[in-house]
Amino acid sequence: MTAGRKDTLAEKSILSREEYEESLHLLQIELVKLQNHFLCCNDRILVVFEGRDASGKDGTIKRIVEHLSPRETRVVALGKPSDRDRGSWYFRRYTAELPSAGEFTLFNRSWYNRAGVEHVMGFCTDAEYDEFMSSVPEFEGMLVRSGIRLIKYYLDISKEEQKARLESRRRDPLKQWKVSPIDEQAVSLWKKYSKARNAMFERTSSVVPWNVVRADDKRVARLNVIRDLLSRLHYAYKDSELIRPNPDVVFPYAEEHLLSGAIAK
């Protein structure tokens, strides 16, 4: 397979480029309407994106913020914790990034690192993991009671799609920065990540429910995340027909979706 080939599993879509671009443009206009509204009302919006490696978080967030004001829109993607971070209250470095009045903040991975990568890779102790899982509903309850509008998305992909996307990253010289040692183990640890994901869904959906996104088709996933996000938030002159998400693509977590296979096993 050559580097220039464009028919890999990771690059196919049921939408043509033209259909995708047209729909995206209209939805980005709705996002600008949303921002105009929450700037006037001093709303605080926080959106958390989680998912397996190569699930499409970067691309989805990029399309959401592309035409929004950079002064009131922040994307938070924290790096490896410092020694000071590791010696502090776990949520401390995340609370410093919470939105102020009139701000729209998107977390590209969040405090849920502890429920996923840290737990699977052994970067935290069992006691630290158990404490996190017990305390995160209370933490999120505090955020909601303070007036923050918190929405959580988990981008879910199949094992085959993850393999294809990781291989595409390795071949693409413009995506080398995305390749990490953890990526190399993502496929081999698939079952462990699935078990950690399922435990996270079950134990952290009580206060702020998880919304699962079937993300094998990047274009479809991006459009439906934006539609779902817009449908959940109030703003003036909303085009209700345009922002109706596909419930087969974005849906609230429920155990029945694990049993049916709607969530990748």
Side-chain angles (χ1 to χ4, degrees), residues 79-120:
K80 184 178 178 180
S82 66
D83 290 340
R84 186 170 188 272
D85 291 330
R86 286 191 289 268
S88 303
W89 179 49
Y90 176 72
F91 294 102
R92 183 191 66 82
R93 70 184 191 134
Y94 296 103
T95 58
E97 305 292 344
L98 295 175
S100 298
E103 282 189 343
F104 182 27
T105 303
L106 303 93
F107 274 55
N108 187 347
R109 293 200 183 276
S110 65
W111 45 87
Y112 283 104
N113 272 337
R114 178 139 294 177
V117 172
E118 289 190 16
H119 178 53
V120 172

Side-chain angles (χ1 to χ4, degrees), residues 10 35 40 59 89 147 155 159 180 183 206 209 217 220 237:
Q35 183 161 64
C40 294
W89 179 49
L155 274 59
K159 189 174 184 179
S180 73
D183 288 345
S206 58
D217 187 320
V220 171
Y237 310 111

Side-chain angles (χ1 to χ4, degrees), residues 138 140-148:
E138 181 180 359
E140 292 180 354
M142 292 171 62
L143 299 184
V144 172
R145 290 192 299 274
S146 76
I148 291 176

Side-chain angles (χ1 to χ4, degrees), residues 12 15 34 84 91 127-128 130 143-144 155 170 190-191 228 233 243 260-261:
K12 289 181 179 177
L15 286 177
L34 169 66
R84 186 170 188 272
F91 294 102
E128 288 171 333
D130 290 337
L143 299 184
V144 172
L155 274 59
R170 296 185 189 101
W190 179 271
K191 289 186 178 179
D228 186 82
L233 298 169
I243 64 170
S260 70

Side-chain angles (χ1 to χ4, degrees), residues 6 15 26 36 60 72 119 121 211 223 234 252 256 259:
K6 296 298 182 182
L15 286 177
L26 294 174
N36 289 337
T60 300
E72 289 82 23
H119 178 53
M121 300 298 294
N211 302 292
L223 296 179
H234 174 71
E256 65 192 65
L259 301 175

Side-chain angles (χ1 to χ4, degrees), residues 1-264:
M1 184 178 294
T2 64
R5 184 170 173 176
K6 296 298 182 182
D7 60 350
T8 65
L9 178 63
E11 293 162 333
K12 289 181 179 177
S13 176
I14 63 172
L15 286 177
S16 70
R17 170 62 65 178
E18 292 74 19
E19 291 171 325
Y20 167 68
E21 294 290 353
E22 181 180 357
S23 296
L24 180 61
H25 176 71
L26 294 174
L27 290 170
Q28 288 175 330
I29 291 173
E30 293 295 306
L31 285 166
V32 172
K33 292 181 189 178
L34 169 66
Q35 183 161 64
N36 289 337
H37 178 86
F38 68 68
L39 283 173
C40 294
C41 299
N42 287 326
D43 292 343
R44 291 178 289 161
I45 302 173
L46 175 60
V47 184
V48 166
F49 285 93
E50 292 289 341
R52 296 183 189 268
D53 292 322
S55 60
K57 297 179 293 297
D58 291 346
T60 300
I61 292 171
K62 178 181 177 180
R63 273 66 181 187
I64 292 172
V65 305
E66 191 170 11
H67 297 289
L68 300 182
S69 167
R71 284 182 292 184
E72 289 82 23
T73 307
R74 292 189 304 117
V75 176
V76 178
L78 298 181
K80 184 178 178 180
S82 66
D83 290 340
R84 186 170 188 272
D85 291 330
R86 286 191 289 268
S88 303
W89 179 49
Y90 176 72
F91 294 102
R92 183 191 66 82
R93 70 184 191 134
Y94 296 103
T95 58
E97 305 292 344
L98 295 175
S100 298
E103 282 189 343
F104 182 27
T105 303
L106 303 93
F107 274 55
N108 187 347
R109 293 200 183 276
S110 65
W111 45 87
Y112 283 104
N113 272 337
R114 178 139 294 177
V117 172
E118 289 190 16
H119 178 53
V120 172
M121 300 298 294
F123 296 156
C124 67
T125 66
D126 289 344
E128 288 171 333
Y129 169 77
D130 290 337
E131 169 58 27
F132 169 81
M133 296 292 272
S134 297
S135 61
V136 71
E138 181 180 359
F139 173 70
E140 292 180 354
M142 292 171 62
L143 299 184
V144 172
R145 290 192 299 274
S146 76
I148 291 176
R149 184 71 168 90
L150 174 59
I151 303 170
K152 301 188 304 193
Y153 291 105
Y154 184 92
L155 274 59
D156 192 55
I157 55 175
S158 65
K159 189 174 184 179
E160 293 74 18
E161 180 67 13
Q162 185 184 57
K163 286 181 180 179
R165 292 186 186 180
L166 291 175
E167 180 58 31
S168 177
R169 283 184 181 180
R170 296 185 189 101
R171 295 195 314 269
D172 189 339
L174 297 179
K175 295 182 179 179
Q176 291 299 305
W177 62 272
K178 288 189 172 186
V179 179
S180 73
I182 291 178
D183 288 345
E184 299 298 326
Q185 301 181 61
V187 176
S188 63
L189 294 174
W190 179 271
K191 289 186 178 179
K192 287 188 176 181
Y193 275 110
S194 293
K195 183 178 180 181
R197 175 204 61 193
N198 297 347
M200 180 186 75
F201 284 159
E202 181 181 354
R203 297 182 61 183
T204 66
S205 292
S206 58
V207 176
V208 180
W210 280 101
N211 302 292
V212 181
V213 183
R214 300 182 73 174
D216 273 10
D217 187 320
K218 288 183 179 181
R219 294 175 187 171
V220 171
R222 290 168 185 166
L223 296 179
N224 278 280
V225 167
I226 297 173
R227 290 179 184 128
D228 186 82
L229 177 63
L230 291 167
S231 71
R232 294 174 181 276
L233 298 169
H234 174 71
Y235 61 97
Y237 310 111
K238 178 185 291 190
D239 187 335
S240 299
E241 288 298 317
L242 177 67
I243 64 170
R244 185 176 299 165
N246 183 340
D248 292 329
V249 178
V250 183
F251 48 86
Y253 164 73
E255 187 178 4
E256 65 192 65
H257 298 311
L258 286 172
L259 301 175
S260 70
I263 298 174

